[in-house]
Amino acid sequence: MEIPYTVAVRPDTGLNNVKLGIWLFLASEVMLFGGLFSTYVLLRMGAVEWPLGAEFLNIPIGTVNTAILIASSVTMVMAYASLKLGDFAKYKTYMLATVLLPVLFLCIKGYEYYEKVQHDHLPSHSTFLAIYWTMTALHGIHIIGGIAVNGYFWGPGSKMWHTKPAMFENRVEAAGLYWHFVDLVWIFLFPVLYLL
Amino acid sequence: MDNVTTAEGIAHAEHGHEAHELSFLQTYVFSQDHKVIGIQYAITALLFLLFGFTLMMLMRWNLAFPGRPIPVIGNFLGMANAPGGIMLPEFYNQLGAMHGTIMVFLGVVPLAVGGFGNYVLPLQIGAPDMAFPRLNMASYWSFFLGGVVMIASFFVPGGAANSGWTSYAPLSVIALEGQTWWLIGMMFLITSSLLGSVNFIVTTLQLRAPGMSFMRLPFFVWAQLVTSFLLLLAFPPLEAAGVLQLMDRVADTSFFMPSGLVVGDGPLEISGGGSPLLWQHLFWFLAHPEVYVLILPALGIVGEIVANNTRKPLWGYRVLVYSVIFLGFMSFIVWAHHMFLTGMGTTISTFFQTTTMIISIPSVVILSAMFLSLYGGSIRYTVPMLFALAFLPMFGIGGLTGLPLGLTAPDIHLHDTYYVIGHFHYVVAPGTIFALFAGIYYWFPKATGRLMNDLLGRIHFWGSIVAINCVFMPMFITGLAGMNRRLYDGGMQYAHVQGVMEWNAFMSYGAWALGFFQIFFIFNFFWSIRHGKKVGNNPWQSTTLEWQAPSPPPHGNFSTPPEVHRGPYEYSVPGASSDFSMQGEAPGADPEPAKV
Amino acid sequence: MSGNAEEVRKHIATYKKIAWALAVGTIVTVLASYLDVSVALGITIALIIASTKASLVAVYFMHLGEERSQWLNLTLGMTAAFWLVLMLVPLFTFSDHIGVAKTLPNANAPMEHAAEAH
């Protein structure tokens, strides 16, 4: 007996297995980052003094990074749309962009971290820096994961398009949902850490 | 349907159109079959339960006979832990912290959810396997790795974590290396749980056989579904907190370290500004739903066994379903009843006191429904039923003793005393663990095709029920007298508990007796795999779908997808030719006998 | 391959609009941070803009606007509810101290360092 509803939608739940699975995973991720945002609020409320983001962080660089990540979200959804239109070549182009843009993001972030280390602005310096380093690093790890997954679906995994296109579309959609979530987290992280 | 063993069936598995032979590693070690994974989880968890139990038996020596060398074993514990065989307080604390951690995270939950959930759930809903078999395998191995890390932590300098299973900051932050291992181990375990819970929810929603509507699901499946939502949404904040504590320990951050903390010879060189309460909030945000994770699968198992051995439907199926859903929801908003004595303030304490009182309602409803299910039943006192019956009053005692703890005023007196230990052990030990034993005796024939030995089972039961009450009932007495938790010498140095000290030795003898009676179970379990009485598909004459499959079921479980026509507990249906009608039996297949 | 080509092109048109909206939102939120307002108002504005951007991503890029699944709604609804509970944790921690001046007996700091909890 085959496992049903791996691609087809089950009528009474309105979902296929992968889509439900990825949304459940994202729900748990909301709670993970929620725990960290809650930590931020608690530490800031209880702090004697709390620095402005601009004191330690470079707002223009952060803005550029935000734009990069949003762009990668757009290219991701365009990659998926290309698949739905049957345009594999366009899919490959957009997906490559979706892989390379966050690599650029990480390089810029790496530069930001390097600068901090040079000025001795380590996590141990203050609770602000501690939560900054921790949240951006955890987000960064999620970006690395996304690059790996998207890279797989751009590269070796894309062979599935020729044998099982519907399932491949499904998988790319799931990867897209994850990637949009990573972008979503940064949409909140950027103003909270850099601008407030 | 051939009665092939699960392993053979898997080795010659047909996946879709290609039949291929799987290697030994693929069949037994890195299996993707939910039944094999369920058994892996169950046996690993049982081993951890035994290990955690052993830690407790060691602790109980020092509580009964503080300062006396431990006989025989004392010589092997090492100079760092027990010089001259006399347990050091630091070692006692390791035993305490790891006993809790291992029993909860490596023992009960992996057995209840990973073991029973994995094995039984797909069968009960008529599915060929879990929705994501590879993810299932990954979740087992993540659990296994977490367990290895936890056990390995005993052998690092300074030994295992010793700041309680609750790892409160700042003590846990300044603790020795073992605590870091604890945090890393927890990461693996939390990951395992998260992967598993995604699998369970998708499987239950998507892979139900035709005709298996939600209100026809066995109560066991509902219990596992709610449990999975609890694991999915409550664990991540603890993962976050674990990362933060790791940062505090390794990167010298001050998430949980307040300003001006002085340790030993001087103030700590940290930035300060952190909050120990933050750790407690994040920890208990998980750990309270976690205790419902401990009890819900047990309630599910007891429900199945009670219905089966009373030969009548469970009383109040809908009430049970709504109660278990409400219970799951409420479990997220009661956590700070573990923090009444932190100085939170009366407003917040009152809020949590109220939600805690409210959550007792669905618990009582569920327990009452189980009791009511016995009324008018034809009770068969099989070994599973003995454990399931004992569960009911034991869980009742555990639940009732929770009430003064959930009320802020009496909690002032009872917090951190042995009363608390008695309360939660009643719920988990003669509660959940008895239900798990019941489940093992009940589903063993499904997994192996053989019954466990009946006499050994009865000895196991009676010995355990007597001994376990000897261990835990006196804790209410010593707790009310004010004996504190986590004292390595059983409170020897405190004047206010001198009157109840004699109970320590009594409880220890009970604990060792309890350990002795588990030998019957361990022997029975392994002996019966080869020598138990052989049985067919449905030795207990049960109604649920798993009993339609062969014992043990082959890879893919059902040769054709079963069709469900009935509710889960159609026992003693008027007019039917036998006292049970299986879920897959077509309606009207059984002609009514001539009316007399 | 699958999905009506017309529909997909309509979606693509929408994606492009949303992309611009997100870009504008980013610029607005950076500019807004330079406004001379109280901390509380600043936080509120930033969170409103962020929530709007996040909703656009969720509804249009993640296709949440088109999903019709009760179980998905239930899961996300529960997640949102418990996430809110998590956000209230700091309130629970400080509810008794909000607005109260405290002197922190701090071994490192000088004694006249009286701090107002905020």
Side-chain angles (χ1 to χ4, degrees), chain B residues 328-366:
Chain B
F329 175 79
M330 289 301 296
S331 73
F332 279 94
I333 49 177
V334 298
W335 81 86
H337 63 222
H338 299 274
M339 297 165 62
F340 281 149
L341 264 66
T342 55
M344 282 192 301
T346 48
T347 320
I348 293 312
S349 296
T350 310
F351 170 77
F352 283 104
Q353 172 183 261
T354 312
T355 53
T356 306
M357 289 301 112
I358 294 175
I359 204 177
S360 67
I361 297 173
S363 306
V364 171
V365 166
I366 293 173

Side-chain angles (χ1 to χ4, degrees), chain B residues 547-564:
Chain B
W547 302 104
Q548 253 176 243
S551 302
H555 191 56
N557 298 339
F558 304 95
S559 53
T560 49
E563 271 182 35
V564 175

Side-chain angles (χ1 to χ4, degrees), chain B residues 62-267:
Chain B
N62 225 51
L63 293 169
F65 313 116
R68 277 185 27 199
I70 307 168
V72 184
I73 308 168
N75 303 315
F76 300 105
L77 293 173
M79 279 301 292
N81 296 326
I86 302 175
M87 188 185 290
L88 286 176
E90 291 82 354
F91 184 57
Y92 179 90
N93 290 341
Q94 287 175 43
L95 297 176
M98 295 309 284
H99 166 78
T101 305
I102 289 173
M103 294 307 241
V104 172
F105 294 111
L106 297 181
V108 175
V109 176
L111 178 56
V113 181
F116 284 108
N118 256 314
Y119 197 98
V120 177
L121 194 146
L123 286 166
Q124 275 194 342
I125 64 174
D129 205 304
M130 283 283 187
F132 305 118
R134 258 180 311 201
L135 202 71
N136 207 9
M137 179 184 73
S139 106
Y140 170 74
W141 284 106
S142 193
F143 154 64
F144 184 82
L145 276 173
V148 166
V149 169
M150 287 292 188
I151 301 295
S153 72
F154 276 103
F155 301 101
V156 304
N162 61 359
S163 311
W165 82 287
T166 50
S167 291
Y168 278 10
L171 181 65
S172 55
V173 175
I174 63 174
L176 298 170
E177 193 184 322
Q179 179 66 23
T180 304
W181 288 70
W182 186 93
L183 290 165
I184 294 172
M186 285 305 296
M187 302 270 151
F188 280 112
L189 297 175
I190 295 175
T191 304
S192 164
S193 271
L194 285 177
L195 299 180
S197 58
V198 169
N199 225 341
F200 275 53
I201 296 172
V202 177
T203 303
T204 309
L205 265 51
Q206 298 285 103
L207 301 191
R208 286 165 292 125
M212 180 62 88
S213 64
F214 282 102
M215 286 320 223
R216 280 183 177 162
L217 285 173
F219 182 61
F220 176 80
V221 178
W222 272 111
Q224 291 281 354
L225 182 64
V226 174
T227 302
S228 294
F229 271 105
L230 295 186
L231 289 171
L232 183 79
L233 297 177
F235 250 131
L238 180 62
E239 178 123 48
V243 170
L244 297 177
Q245 197 183 103
L246 257 178
M247 291 287 290
D248 269 10
R249 287 179 57 80
V250 166
D252 288 331
T253 50
S254 299
F255 287 112
F256 307 123
M257 304 295 270
S259 307
L261 195 61
V262 176
V263 176
D265 42 7

Side-chain angles (χ1 to χ4, degrees), chain C residues 16-81:
Chain C
K16 295 195 171 135
K17 286 194 216 123
I18 301 297
W20 281 115
L22 291 172
V24 167
T26 307
I27 296 172
V28 167
T29 200
V30 173
L31 290 177
S33 70
Y34 290 108
L35 289 174
D36 191 12
V37 290
S38 69
V39 174
L41 187 57
I43 294 177
T44 311
I45 295 174
L47 287 180
I48 289 178
I49 300 174
S51 304
T52 312
K53 289 164 73 182
S55 307
L56 291 175
V57 172
V59 168
Y60 293 102
F61 286 178
M62 296 171 93
H63 304 116
L64 257 187
E66 290 171 5
E67 294 289 352
R68 297 278 173 271
S69 166
Q70 275 196 324
W71 279 99
L72 191 59
N73 294 343
L74 182 78
T75 305
L76 294 178
M78 293 281 97
T79 309

Side-chain angles (χ1 to χ4, degrees), chain B residues 456-469:
Chain B
L456 291 176
R458 286 173 200 275
I459 297 173
H460 175 219
F461 170 74
W462 287 109
S464 297
I465 186 80
V466 171
I468 213 165
N469 278 287

